[in-house]
Amino acid sequence: EVQLVESGGGLVQPGGSLRLSCVASELRFSHYEMMWVRQAPRRTLEWLAYIDSRGDKILYKDSVEGRFTISRDNDKNSLYLHMNNLSAEDTAIYYCATFDYWIDFWGQGAQVTVSS
Amino acid sequence: QSVLTQPPSVSGAPGQNVTIPCTGSNSNIGGGYNVFWYQQLPGAAPKLLIYLNSNRPSGVPDRFSGSKSGTSASLAITGLQSADEAVYYCQSYDINLSGLKMLFGGGTELTVL
C-alpha cells in the first residue's frame, strides 16, 4: 500500500520559517510527479506547489511563489516544502500528494500553525 | 470564494440518491478540462473518488458516478449509506494569463439523515 508520511509541522511565529518533509514508501518515488496541497481551517483545498519526477520543472501558486520552495531527493524517497515569512493565513494542514494530472495518493497531512 | 461552485451541504436518507453539482465556466470545465472528485471522510485526508469526469479508481463502489456537461459536472451517489458522510470536492483546471492552474471547488458536506 502506498504511504506518504509528512513531518515537520508545528507552531511557528509570524515571519518564521518551517520545512516540511514527506517520505514515500511502496511506490517508485522517482517516477512520480509530486505536489503540496493545503487545507486551512473550514476552507477548501488549495494547490501550492508542483515538482516533476526529476525536479526539473517546478510550479507555484502565485500567492506562495517567492516564499515557498519545493524540492525532492529521489535517493531518499523524499519531498520537501521550505516555507519562509509565514503569516496567520498560512495556518493549515499541509498534504503531500502524487500527481498524474490528478492526485492519486495523499499523505495524512502535517498541521502548521502560525501564531504568536 | 472558489471558482468552482458547489453547494455547501446536501443530505439524504439511507438508501436514497443524491447529486452534488460543480459549476464552473468556459475557462475551466467548459473549456474542455477534465473534472475529478475527492472524498474527505471526517478527520482523514482526501481520497480520489472519480477521475477524468466519470472513471472510478479500483475499490470505489459503483454507487458513485461522475458526469460532465458544458460548464458543469456532477457526482451522483446512489443507495446512500452512513459511511458516505464526508465532504466531497470537485477539481479541475483553469487557464488564464498566469497559465494553467489546478482548482478545487469549495466542498459539499454530505449528511446521511
Side-chain angles (χ1 to χ4, degrees), chain A residues 68-86:
Chain A
F68 290 11
T69 302
I70 188 172
S71 61
R72 66 190 297 159
D73 185 335
N74 286 344
D75 292 334
K76 296 182 178 179
N77 287 349
S78 293
L79 177 73
Y80 306 101
L81 184 68
H82 194 104
M83 303 181 291
N84 291 325
N85 193 23
L86 289 164

Side-chain angles (χ1 to χ4, degrees), chain A residues 2-103:
Chain A
V2 171
Q3 278 205 321
L4 301 172
V5 180
E6 299 94 338
S7 61
L11 176 64
V12 60
Q13 291 191 338
S17 299
L18 210 57
R19 189 182 85 155
L20 302 180
S21 300
C22 170
V23 178
S25 58
E26 303 303 324
L27 81 164
R28 297 185 72 176
F29 180 74
S30 62
H31 288 208
Y32 278 82
E33 300 166 58
M34 301 292 295
M35 59 173 34
W36 288 96
V37 177
R38 73 182 176 187
Q39 186 172 35
R42 297 172 298 282
R43 298 286 298 274
T44 186
L45 301 162
E46 179 183 25
W47 163 81
L48 296 176
Y50 156 89
I51 187 168
D52 73 1
S53 60
R54 297 194 301 179
D56 292 334
K57 182 175 182 179
I58 289 174
L59 299 170
Y60 295 100
K61 180 165 184 156
D62 291 346
S63 59
V64 304
E65 187 156 23
R67 294 194 302 126
F68 290 11
T69 302
I70 188 172
S71 61
R72 66 190 297 159
D73 185 335
N74 286 344
D75 292 334
K76 296 182 178 179
N77 287 349
S78 293
L79 177 73
Y80 306 101
L81 184 68
H82 194 104
M83 303 181 291
N84 291 325
N85 193 23
L86 289 164
S87 70
E89 287 67 42
D90 297 313
T91 294
I93 298 174
Y94 286 72
Y95 297 100
C96 74
T98 62
F99 177 75
D100 187 10
Y101 188 56
W102 61 86
I103 298 176

